Amino acid sequence: MVVGGDGIARENSPFINSAELGRGNTYEGKNMALFEEEMDSNPMVSSLLNKLANYTNLTQGVVEHEADEDSKRKEVKGPRMGTFIGVYLPCLQNILGVILFLRLTWIVGTAGVLESFIIVFMCCACTMLTAISMSAIATNGVVPAGGSYYMISRSLGPEFGGAVGLCFYLGTTFAGAMYILGTIEILLTYITPSAAIFKVTDVSEEPEAMLNNMRVYGTCIIILMAIVVFVGVKYVNKLALVFLACVILSIIAIYAGVIKTAFDPPDFPICLLGNRTLSKRNFEVCAKFTESNNETRTTPLWLLFCDSSLLNATCDDYFTRNNVTEIQGIPGIMSGVLADNLWSAYSEKGSIVEKKDQPSVAGSEDSKMGGLPYVFTDIMTYFTMLVGIYFPSVTGIMAGSNRSGDLKDAQKSIPTGTILAISTTSFIYLSCIVLFGACIEGVILRDKFGEAVNGNLVVGTLAWPSPWVIVIGSFFSTCGAGLQSLTGAPRLLQAIARDGIVPFIQIFGHGKANGEPTWALLLTAGICEIGILIASLDSVAPILSMFFLMCYMFVNLACAVQTLLRTPNWRPRFKYYHWTLSFLGMSLCLALMFICSWYYALIAMLIAGCIYKYIEYRGAEKEWGDGIRGLSLNAARYALLRVEDGPPHTKNWRPQLLVLLNLDNEQLVKHPRLLSFTSQLKAGKGLTIVGSVLQGIYLDKCTETQKAEQNVKALMSVEKTKGFCQIVVSPNFRDGISYLIQSAGLGGMKHNTVLMAWPQSWKQTENRFSWKNFVDTVRETTAAQQALLVAKNIDLFPTNHERFTEGNIDVWWIVHDGGMLMLLPFLLRQHKVWRKCKMRIFTVAQMDDNSIQMKKDLQMFLYHLRLNAQVEVVEMFENDISAFTYEKTLMMEQRSQMLKQMQLSKNEREREAQLIHDKNTASRSAPAAEASVAAAVPEKVQMTWTKEKFVAEKHKNKDSNVSGFKDIFNMKPNQSNVRRMHTAVKLNGVVLNKSQDAQLVLLNMPGPPKNRKGDENYMEFLEVLTEGLDRVLLVRGSGREVITIYS
């Protein structure tokens, strides 16, 4: 006895000795001995949980980088980030940016407070709905870094994932270009205007010069930023918090400025001439003339409108008629200016920014305004354009999900942080719109570059304590955002490249030894340069709006599809979602795409569509359990249930084929041309099931079945046969074919036609697909009301690459069994192989038929069937049965009789041997060796009989054999067989006469005899009927009509 640790005595184990017990872990897992054979394929739960605990969800692009840093990681495990630092702040930093500082005031001034509110609300609603969908997807299992690309590709499949992933990549890259353009605009317009390389004296040429400055500086900055990113990403990440602090300080400065305007508005006077706003770049004093020492002097403003400084100088007509007035640019929140700014003030390009309620006297129309110091609008403005420019300011909601690898609890942090960040930024944007409208004069709001306020940034004029807080803050925030885009975009491209779904970008999956995506960074910088060469922030913004909107649309679609399909794997921890919200978000994204710019939307969709089709055509096949596959399965199920309702109408009938293939000992297809013929007949339409039978027991033939299936599928792919493969293992060949005919297909998608090759070696008894199997298959297709096509001389049929330049497809229409004979040539001629062949239809007239009338009727019938074919009626007169026919029938019957007798004697010999074998095995006295010899050589064993028995048996066998063979040679042929052979010989002669040179002959296939004794004779009749023809297709219809004259 052995006492266990719990003090309970146990018996010694008869299986494990004490030595083995002493080894400790040598016999580990003995408690699970029952499952030990399955441990390789099904791991223990403990080891599974251990693997899951050690899972690190790194993006594919930084595996090597992380391995490089492993030593540091092991020493000090970095603290995982929570919701605030890991999701909330990155989202905040990505959402708030260049548009808020550079364009929001202009959008408010142009669209008015109400329409601006609608624009911002639409865009924020769009991102909020997307965030809800994204939260559901992100909390449905572990999401590695790769963010939106990973989520969409795993939810909607590699095609959508690749298309949307590349669109998201392009969006992020163009966002980088937009941030860089914003950086340069702040630098050259508000910080150091003197740094401009291209300088002009003529005001009208200023926009063009500005664009060229943008291009030069932008190219320099992109090179600089690319070097920074290449040298070290960690520096970019360390600076991220500094840039975020700049953004937050700037926003606080705006709110502080708004509060200050309530009791002490800042002094920013605007100069108006009549109701027109003047640009204060070339003058200080807002007056036509000044008086000092009782002397009136003209101001620099006078010189800008007049040809000299004298009071009697010739001046601009509008300048002469209107007074110069000065008003406060920022009247303050209590001034009631909100009422003036509620409504929109859209304008044409080059029009002057005017104050609506200011008195003005119109001047003569012919006066030139080009060189005058007015504030002009630089682009034409309208509602939809402003949506396109504004939308990039709400993007950046994916920042949290992209960092899921660094989060303490990603499934909790991503939804909370993202939705909080969107709520915060939406509040900031919406409140800023109202506050800008309530504090700032309308003409300043519409003054994009702050020309009326001495070239100050318009938001800066409102800020407290100084405009420079906003200028410097916005400069650093745009710099930081540009760097972040250049860091994120190459990693996204690397993740897509390493997935291997888009072959032509696989080179971008490579990088430095530590995993940094060098090649992807170069491509990103190149695409960024395209955005910089466009040079206008207002032109680049709608481009990236398209790509982001498309990405968000597919995130919503992914969530809606998964929710509606109710797939068992769809179990998000985030519960506050509904498919209607996802659908609304998707519709809103699509609407915003076309609102922003319908032609950009179409181009973006075309790009995504091309990538989708490319991945579908060339990409590596990936199975990610995606929703589109689930959707296809649901649609297929729904369609199958609909089809099940009843048999198809004659108009919808098409041959749904079950192709019976023969395989050799290597599981290779014996007659590949049968599949070529299938694809020619189907032209990719309808159902094709390619079936084959392996003889044996399924448990023993598992691997052979898989090999056979692979071989058949490979051949189907080569022959472009679209369909399904079904291999059946059966104890005998005959039953296997029966199973296929009965059970292949599913519901309404079942085959209605069986296609098989003629058994060429049917006369050889050792052929496993013997004539008996063939005849039984014919009988079973008839019983199942299925049509049968038998291709004779299948190896002479054309491949898919051959082309017949001339020739005929001849149809011999002897009996009508549903019109399939008419339909098959029409279907074949749809394929390139048979397209140039002409169709000829022959029918046979008997003695009492009117052949001329038959021809007319047949032509009319074909006309109504809309088939082009040449018609010929062949007359077959009754005549005496020839000696050749008698001889042929006699030979057939003699052969059949001989085969039967040979089979009989063989069976008897086998039975006799078996009896002796059993007898010897039963008696234990005889040695086993003798028994086996006895079984193998039965005639020697006969010597153990008595002499009388042996002699009697010998004479009996001899007599019966002699009399049997005498009967064969004295036989007279059966009259029924003679008549059948006569028909076969006569018909064969007629067919040979007319169709010997035809490319294909289609013939009615006569049915097998009801009396099974004549089966081998039936094979002989068919052989005689088709003798001398190269390619024959024997057609046996199902009896139901398959072709109709009605529309």
Side-chain angles (χ1 to χ4, degrees):
M1 300 290 280
V2 176
V3 179
D6 49 5
I8 300 169
R10 295 187 182 86
E11 283 189 336
N12 281 327
S13 167
F15 304 110
I16 306 169
N17 59 30
S18 56
E20 283 175 323
L21 280 168
R23 282 181 210 151
N25 293 335
T26 312
Y27 212 91
E28 195 174 13
K30 54 185 176 289
N31 295 337
M32 291 292 155
L34 190 60
F35 296 96
E36 65 189 8
E37 289 187 359
E38 297 176 18
M39 290 297 180
D40 293 338
S41 55
N42 304 342
M44 292 277 291
V45 173
S46 56
S47 60
L48 173 73
L49 294 175
N50 185 36
K51 278 180 190 169
L52 287 175
N54 295 331
Y55 177 80
T56 57
N57 47 0
L58 302 169
T59 177
Q60 295 101 319
V62 294
V63 174
E64 298 92 334
H65 179 66
E66 294 300 328
D68 198 43
E69 301 281 321
D70 256 356
S71 52
K72 297 171 195 172
R73 252 167 213 270
K74 281 170 188 169
E75 288 163 23
V76 183
K77 180 79 175 171
R80 291 289 182 121
M81 292 187 285
T83 307
F84 186 73
I85 297 288
V87 181
Y88 181 75
L89 290 181
C91 283
L92 215 62
Q93 182 187 355
N94 277 267
I95 296 170
L96 299 170
V98 62
I99 302 290
L100 171 65
F101 302 119
L102 294 185
R103 292 290 181 270
L104 196 60
T105 50
W106 173 71
I107 290 170
V108 173
T110 309
V113 171
L114 292 177
E115 286 184 29
S116 300
F117 200 89
I118 291 167
I119 291 172
V120 174
F121 184 79
M122 270 200 312
C123 296
C124 290
C126 175
T127 52
M128 181 59 87
L129 291 168
T130 305
I132 290 168
S133 298
M134 186 191 78
S135 299
I137 297 170
T139 57
N140 186 49
V142 181
V143 176
S148 59
Y149 161 69
Y150 185 90
M151 285 190 281
I152 293 165
S153 62
R154 268 52 173 185
S155 298
L156 290 178
E159 294 90 354
F160 275 111
V164 178
L166 285 174
C167 282
F168 190 56
Y169 163 72
L170 289 171
T172 312
T173 308
F174 273 107
M178 185 186 78
Y179 293 131
I180 290 166
L181 290 173
T183 308
I184 304 157
E185 189 176 302
I186 294 165
L187 181 74
L188 294 183
T189 312
Y190 308 113
I191 298 176
T192 56
S194 57
I197 296 168
F198 297 90
K199 295 179 182 176
V200 287
T201 49
D202 190 358
V203 180
S204 61
E205 291 175 9
E206 200 171 301
E208 189 57 42
M210 185 64 181
L211 292 181
N212 288 330
N213 285 321
M214 290 267 202
R215 289 177 184 123
V216 173
Y217 274 96
T219 307
C220 296
I221 288 179
I222 192 90
I223 293 167
L224 196 68
M225 283 186 174
I227 291 167
V228 170
V229 171
F230 180 76
V231 168
V233 180
K234 53 187 173 187
Y235 302 118
V236 178
N237 291 334
K238 281 175 183 171
L239 288 169
L241 278 172
V242 177
F243 296 138
L244 179 62
C246 291
V247 176
I248 293 169
L249 280 173
S250 302
I251 290 167
I252 292 168
I254 293 170
Y255 282 114
V258 169
I259 294 164
K260 184 175 173 287
T261 62
F263 51 85
D264 181 20
D267 181 37
F268 278 101
I270 310 167
C271 194
L272 298 176
L273 174 64
N275 65 352
R276 296 177 180 179
T277 316
L278 296 174
S279 171
K280 268 189 157 181
R281 286 189 175 176
N282 299 321
F283 65 93
E284 294 292 327
V285 181
C286 181
K288 291 185 181 180
F289 31 76
T290 54
E291 287 190 17
S292 61
N293 303 328
N294 293 327
E295 188 182 344
T296 305
R297 287 184 183 177
T298 56
T299 58
L301 177 64
W302 178 279
L303 276 171
L304 293 171
F305 284 93
C306 303
D307 56 4
S308 75
S309 59
L310 302 172
L311 289 171
N312 60 354
T314 309
C315 294
D316 178 72
D317 189 39
Y318 188 85
F319 180 75
T320 312
R321 295 186 184 194
N322 289 278
N323 295 323
V324 175
T325 52
E326 200 168 47
I327 60 167
Q328 269 305 323
I330 299 172
I333 198 164
M334 309 302 284
S335 64
V337 75
L338 180 65
D340 300 334
N341 291 333
L342 279 177
W343 312 108
S344 61
Y346 300 118
S347 57
E348 296 289 324
K349 182 180 179 178
S351 55
I352 299 167
V353 176
E354 297 176 341
K355 185 167 164 56
K356 294 172 196 168
D357 53 356
Q358 193 76 4
S360 165
V361 181
S364 58
E365 293 298 318
D366 59 346
S367 61
K368 290 181 183 176
M369 293 189 228
L372 301 177
Y374 295 126
V375 177
F376 294 99
T377 54
D378 64 333
I379 52 172
M380 182 181 168
T381 51
Y382 42 92
F383 180 80
T384 55
M385 188 208 80
L386 295 180
V387 175
I389 291 175
Y390 173 74
F391 189 80
S393 66
V394 293
T395 59
I397 61 170
M398 301 285 185
S401 65
N402 288 352
R403 293 163 188 242
S404 57
D406 302 323
L407 300 173
K408 210 178 292 176
D409 182 359
Q411 301 200 346
K412 182 184 165 193
S413 298
I414 289 174
T416 315
T418 307
I419 290 169
L420 270 175
I422 292 173
S423 305
T424 309
T425 51
S426 299
F427 171 76
I428 290 171
Y429 282 130
L430 292 168
S431 62
C432 278
I433 282 171
V434 177
L435 296 174
F436 290 164
C439 293
I440 306 174
E441 185 59 59
V443 286
I444 290 209
L445 286 173
R446 291 194 293 281
D447 178 6
K448 191 188 279 186
F449 302 109
E451 292 175 65
V453 282
N454 305 322
N456 275 308
L457 182 61
V458 176
V459 188
T461 59
L462 184 63
W464 180 85
S466 162
W468 285 101
V469 175
I470 299 280
V471 173
I472 302 299
S474 61
F475 177 77
F476 280 116
S477 83
T478 48
C479 262
L483 276 171
Q484 291 281 7
S485 295
L486 276 181
T487 309
R491 276 175 170 63
L492 178 60
L493 183 65
Q494 189 181 40
I496 301 167
R498 291 202 170 178
D499 256 349
I501 55 170
V502 188
F504 73 86
I505 64 162
Q506 281 186 346
I507 187 173
F508 300 110
H510 307 302
K512 287 199 287 187
N514 64 349
E516 288 298 318
T518 315
W519 292 106
L521 177 63
L522 283 174
L523 181 70
T524 305
I527 296 170
C528 245
E529 181 60 24
I530 295 170
I532 282 161
L533 292 176
I534 294 170
S536 165
L537 186 81
D538 303 319
S539 303
V540 173
I543 296 173
L544 66 111
S545 293
M546 287 307 130
F547 291 125
F548 278 120
L549 276 165
M550 185 169 284
C551 179
Y552 296 166
M553 180 171 81
F554 282 108
V555 169
N556 284 305
L557 175 66
C559 182
V561 165
Q562 298 276 34
T563 310
L564 287 171
L565 285 176
R566 295 195 185 95
T567 46
N569 190 49
W570 180 246
R571 304 184 299 276
R573 287 190 181 280
F574 179 77
K575 299 296 178 192
Y576 307 102
Y577 69 94
H578 195 266
W579 70 266
T580 49
L581 292 176
S582 301
F583 192 77
L584 183 65
M586 187 182 80
S587 309
L588 195 54
C589 288
L590 190 64
L592 282 171
M593 279 177 78
F594 282 93
I595 286 170
C596 292
S597 169
W598 63 268
Y599 48 90
Y600 275 165
L602 291 176
I603 292 167
M605 284 178 160
L606 185 69
I607 291 169
C610 290
I611 297 166
Y612 179 95
K613 293 308 286 181
Y614 177 79
I615 295 171
E616 192 178 57
Y617 175 64
R618 284 291 309 277
E621 286 191 17
K622 300 274 179 181
E623 176 51 74
W624 286 327
D626 50 85
I628 292 295
R629 188 171 174 78
L631 197 62
S632 305
L633 287 170
N634 259 24
R637 174 182 153 278
Y638 173 74
L640 278 171
L641 290 171
R642 286 289 303 274
V643 171
E644 184 74 354
D645 290 347
H649 192 273
T650 306
K651 285 187 273 188
N652 291 331
W653 195 94
R654 62 169 72 244
Q656 316 280 28
L657 291 180
L658 167 63
V659 185
L660 296 176
L661 290 180
N662 270 347
L663 303 178
D664 60 18
N665 295 330
E666 297 293 317
Q667 273 69 54
L668 296 169
V669 177
K670 272 189 183 175
H671 303 294
R673 299 279 177 104
L674 200 60
L675 281 181
S676 309
F677 185 67
T678 305
S679 57
Q680 290 158 26
L681 190 61
K682 301 291 293 176
K685 305 290 190 298
L687 173 75
T688 305
I689 301 168
V690 179
S692 190
V693 178
L694 294 182
Q695 205 162 343
I697 307 295
Y698 183 65
L699 284 174
D700 305 333
K701 294 270 184 180
C702 260
T703 51
E704 287 179 41
T705 307
Q706 288 171 354
K707 186 183 173 188
E709 195 167 331
Q710 284 171 1
N711 292 342
V712 172
K713 281 183 175 173
L715 187 63
M716 286 170 73
S717 175
V718 169
E719 297 294 347
K720 295 187 172 65
T721 308
K722 293 181 182 174
F724 309 99
C725 173
Q726 197 165 347
I727 307 291
V728 169
V729 181
S730 168
N732 66 65
F733 206 66
R734 158 84 194 74
D735 290 347
I737 287 178
S738 180
Y739 300 157
L740 277 172
I741 290 171
Q742 289 175 67
S743 63
L746 180 65
M749 284 297 277
K750 283 184 76 70
H751 59 278
N752 54 30
T753 307
V754 177
L755 171 63
M756 61 198 290
W758 172 263
Q760 298 286 8
S761 53
W762 66 273
K763 292 181 182 178
Q764 297 169 14
T765 49
E766 71 274 6
N767 180 28
R768 65 175 181 167
F769 191 81
S770 67
W771 51 268
K772 281 189 177 175
N773 291 342
F774 177 80
V775 178
D776 283 341
T777 305
V778 176
R779 283 199 175 96
E780 285 193 351
T781 52
T782 309
Q785 294 185 314
Q786 293 169 5
L788 176 66
L789 308 177
V790 179
K792 194 158 184 277
N793 302 330
I794 185 64
D795 296 326
L796 298 176
F797 275 61
T799 63
N800 286 331
H801 304 296
E802 290 178 45
R803 301 283 181 272
F804 288 132
T805 51
E806 57 181 4
N808 300 311
I809 299 175
D810 286 359
V811 177
W812 283 85
W813 191 24
I814 295 148
V815 292
H816 181 64
D817 52 5
M820 195 167 177
L821 272 170
M822 308 291 176
L823 193 60
L824 291 174
F826 169 76
L827 294 173
L828 279 174
R829 288 181 67 231
Q830 308 294 309
H831 197 273
K832 291 174 185 173
V833 173
W834 304 92
R835 194 164 286 162
K836 300 261 176 85
C837 292
K838 289 176 181 161
M839 181 174 160
R840 296 194 301 183
I841 294 185
F842 296 90
T843 190
V844 176
Q846 300 295 318
M847 267 302 276
D848 48 355
D849 292 330
N850 181 344
S851 54
I852 296 167
Q853 189 59 41
M854 269 179 78
K855 187 171 181 177
K856 280 183 183 174
D857 292 345
L858 184 53
Q859 281 171 333
M860 182 55 68
F861 180 57
L862 289 174
Y863 175 76
H864 285 308
L865 286 176
R866 293 134 2 247
L867 294 174
N868 294 322
Q870 189 182 326
V871 174
E872 201 165 323
V873 177
V874 178
E875 294 177 343
M876 261 180 75
F877 300 117
E878 287 290 333
N879 57 359
D880 294 337
I881 294 167
S882 65
F884 170 76
T885 304
Y886 268 114
E887 191 184 333
K888 194 101 174 158
T889 313
L890 190 57
M891 278 169 65
M892 174 184 80
E893 291 191 352
Q894 284 173 350
R895 179 180 173 278
S896 167
Q897 197 67 29
M898 280 174 75
L899 279 172
K900 276 183 185 169
Q901 294 214 354
M902 282 164 69
Q903 189 71 25
L904 196 66
S905 58
K906 184 183 172 191
N907 288 349
E908 279 179 353
R909 281 204 310 274
E910 281 174 358
R911 200 179 305 121
E912 200 174 275
Q914 188 62 42
L915 280 166
I916 295 156
H917 178 86
D918 292 346
K919 183 182 173 187
N920 286 350
T921 311
S923 63
R924 302 230 167 183
S925 58
E930 280 182 30
S932 64
V933 169
V937 194
E939 55 269 28
K940 284 187 182 175
V941 179
Q942 287 171 2
M943 300 309 289
T944 60
W945 296 5
T946 61
K947 190 176 181 184
E948 292 80 11
K949 270 187 182 180
F950 173 69
V951 171
E953 185 66 25
K954 194 173 177 184
H955 281 291
K956 190 180 88 174
N957 283 350
K958 190 176 176 184
D959 293 346
S960 65
N961 285 352
V962 170
S963 65
F965 282 111
K966 275 182 186 171
D967 288 347
I968 289 173
F969 292 117
N970 295 334
M971 274 178 71
K972 284 191 176 178
N974 181 307
Q975 284 305 307
S976 168
N977 284 344
V978 170
R979 284 190 294 106
R980 285 186 175 137
M981 184 62 81
H982 176 66
T983 306
V985 170
K986 286 273 300 176
L987 203 50
N988 177 253
V990 172
V991 172
L992 273 177
N993 183 33
K994 297 284 184 184
S995 302
Q996 194 159 14
D997 298 327
Q999 303 290 11
L1000 180 65
V1001 176
L1002 283 86
L1003 263 170
N1004 276 116
M1005 182 178 181
K1010 287 177 181 166
N1011 181 3
R1012 289 184 174 239
K1013 288 179 182 174
D1015 283 0
E1016 65 271 37
N1017 298 341
Y1018 171 67
M1019 295 296 287
E1020 194 72 58
F1021 294 144
L1022 292 181
E1023 195 74 71
V1024 170
L1025 182 63
T1026 55
E1027 206 170 355
L1029 296 167
D1030 284 346
R1031 300 183 197 93
V1032 183
L1033 189 66
L1034 292 167
V1035 180
R1036 182 159 175 73
S1038 60
R1040 63 159 294 170
E1041 289 294 334
V1042 301
I1043 192 163
T1044 177
I1045 63 172
Y1046 299 107
S1047 62

